[in-house]
Amino acid sequence: MLVLRLTPLVISSLLLSPLALAAGSNNSPSDTMLVNASKQSPDSASAKNVSSVKVSAEELAQANVTRTDELPKVLPGLTMGNSGSLIFQSVSLRGISSAQDFYNPAVSIYVDGVPQLSTYAMQALGDVESVEMLRGPQGTLYGKSAQGGIINIVTRKPDDTPRGYVEGGIASRDGYHTKVNLSGPLAPGLLYGSATLLRQVDNGSMTNPATGSDNLGGSRTNLGDFRLRLAPEDQPWEASVAVSEECTHATQDTYLPYDNERSRTLEISDGSGDPHLRRCTHSQSLSTQYRTDGWLFSLIGAWQQQNYQREFPYSAYNASLPERWNQDTQELRAATFGGNTPVDMVFGLYRQNSRETVDSAYTYSGVPISSTRGWTANETLAAYSDLTWHLTDRFDLGGGLRYSHDKSKTDYNGSSMGYGWGDKGKTRDDNLLGQVSAGWQFTPELRGYVRVAQGYKPAGFSIQPTPMVSAAPYDAEKSINYEIGTRYEGDALRVQGALFYTHTKNLQLYSGPVGYQSLSNAGAADATGAELSASWTFTPGWSWDVNGNWVRSEFTGDSELYADNRVPFVPRFSAGTSLNGIVDTPWGALTPRLALNLVGEHYFDGDNTLRQGSYATTDIRLGWQATERVNIAAYIDNLMDRRYRTYGIVQNGAAYAQVNNGRTAGLDVRVDLF
């Protein structure tokens, strides 16, 4: 285990070793090496025998996607949204759900190879180049636990080409955003840099009758991102440093009576204040890559610190929940690159260490009822490998293994209704997971595959301790996914589809009344489904996209708490379609877009008492390339002003819900400086 324990000091020394090695290298590529964000060779089974989708920065802009929680607009099958607050995201993919364990989303989010804090899953998108989603477990390819899938966000790398732009826009409810980006060479052929500054305001539409405040339910974000890239010409190595600072103020813990989603007035007691969240996240990463003729070696050390203060009232209750997070990760990996090799391989070592402290307090009608002080620490050490055997030009086999060692400990104390309490505990767990796949290239355009893969969420303790409850650990949640899929990639038509079945045991689920919940294992669940997506360029400049999926995700009959109930936050079905085009005019090109998205019924609780019915939203956007460097776009999201619940809770026999903000109209302008 000492080999896996990569401390920051060891990381720093390892980062210098490729530089020393490169100084004596005579086998250097002729051009400056670009960082490749992919985790494997494009010829590997893990790249081909998997259900995936990748969208470009242009496609994100066309769909008006500026934050990660808006990615379901362009990533079919994904659902993601606030659960109480933006720090807690309800995420589901292929029937694998956050299931009210919002500290451990079902889908892991990476930015430039760095896993993000779970409480930073919702973040503004800076200078993004592309976003890729892999469906199903990916633990033999990524260091962090990836049970339901991976979202990999890739930012633009600075290089010899000077780039820069300024963006700005206004939106409904006094919303607006500004973004400035500059990127290019600082020392041509050697050193490159980029800087992005962003201010984004998305106000809500709720009113607090106790204070008279309106526009509640939104957020205001400031973000700064700075990068340096050392990449000497004619050398096989490069190193990068990235630093970002983000602060968000939000008023999103807004609750209405569950059966009155059309209301805009909070259900709140006289004398109660406004909900408020202040989250500040600091991220730093240091990475290096070294390329030989057939291998790419990479090393990443990353650190994130986050402080947030969350206060919100509901009915006569008021909660104050400050937390502090620290996470550091190190990942060392080697992967084959290039073509015409009989075997493609990936090997990696991974360490993640996170520490969280909490100091919470609850009151009822101004009277203190409970408080908690505590901390929780988690560590994961993992080794993984992923191999592909190219048996023929058309047929390949894939396989991989992952070994993980997880440790968790907690220590807390507090009081409830005048009674003091406290406890501490430790737990550790080992997991061996694997995946196998087989793929057949029927024609240059058509491929079929089968895949079996295991995934898990680590064992641990509840981040928020429960008053008067001992520190009992929960077991690791484990799943196995079976799928059969196909992919057709022609010049004008691209089609992808899959059938899948996932069995999950020891499902981790919060239970109990709000404020007194604890995380425990809630038995097993089965998810069966089908997914299909297609994109047809039916004439130059015009494309039609369509997608749909159906999922049946239910607790099994032997589940102790919720036998035969639906798993929370998993829509029974979803579908979407969009029409995108380019119309040339004497005054510049017009780029219209029309999109329709449908979300099926789902529940917010394991008891299946809080139901949200099916709903559809329509988005329209018209862009105008006024000059070579100026683009103007007008849009309306949720054109028909469809109102629906995004989250629900039950407190003292009464049900409350959060609802969406409704129709949003806006105007954006982008000016390219170079």
Side-chain angles (χ1 to χ4, degrees), residues 85-166:
S85 174
L86 60 84
I87 57 177
F88 298 125
Q89 293 297 303
S90 59
V91 184
S92 73
L93 181 65
R94 283 191 166 186
I96 302 296
S97 162
S98 298
Q100 293 184 295
D101 176 14
F102 306 128
Y103 285 105
N104 289 286
V107 177
S108 297
I109 295 180
Y110 274 72
V111 176
D112 291 333
V114 177
Q116 303 296 287
L117 278 168
S118 62
T119 49
Y120 198 39
M122 199 293 265
Q123 56 182 271
L125 297 176
D127 188 34
V128 173
E129 181 178 277
S130 65
V131 177
E132 181 182 26
M133 181 174 72
L134 304 180
R135 303 180 181 94
Q138 305 295 329
T140 64
L141 194 61
Y142 284 77
K144 183 177 174 61
S145 167
Q147 183 186 21
I150 285 287
I151 295 175
N152 187 30
I153 301 170
V154 180
T155 63
R156 295 186 188 276
K157 304 300 186 292
D159 55 27
D160 272 319
T161 303
R163 290 188 296 267
Y165 59 86
V166 177

Side-chain angles (χ1 to χ4, degrees), residues 55-62 65 127-131 156:
V55 294
S56 65
E58 292 74 19
E59 292 171 306
L60 293 171
Q62 279 288 88
V65 174
D127 188 34
V128 173
E129 181 178 277
S130 65
V131 177
R156 295 186 188 276

Side-chain angles (χ1 to χ4, degrees), residues 45-46 49 387-388 395-399 435-439 449-452:
S46 293
N49 299 344
L387 283 76
T388 302
F395 180 65
D396 57 55
L397 292 175
Q435 69 90 9
V436 293
S437 69
Y449 70 89
V450 294
R451 183 173 188 259
V452 180

Side-chain angles (χ1 to χ4, degrees), residues 259-280:
D259 294 327
N260 191 13
E261 69 269 23
R262 299 294 301 183
S263 174
R264 286 292 178 259
T265 303
L266 302 186
E267 182 75 4
I268 208 165
S269 299
D270 292 340
S272 297
D274 294 328
H276 180 71
L277 166 73
R278 183 181 185 272
R279 181 191 71 180
C280 287

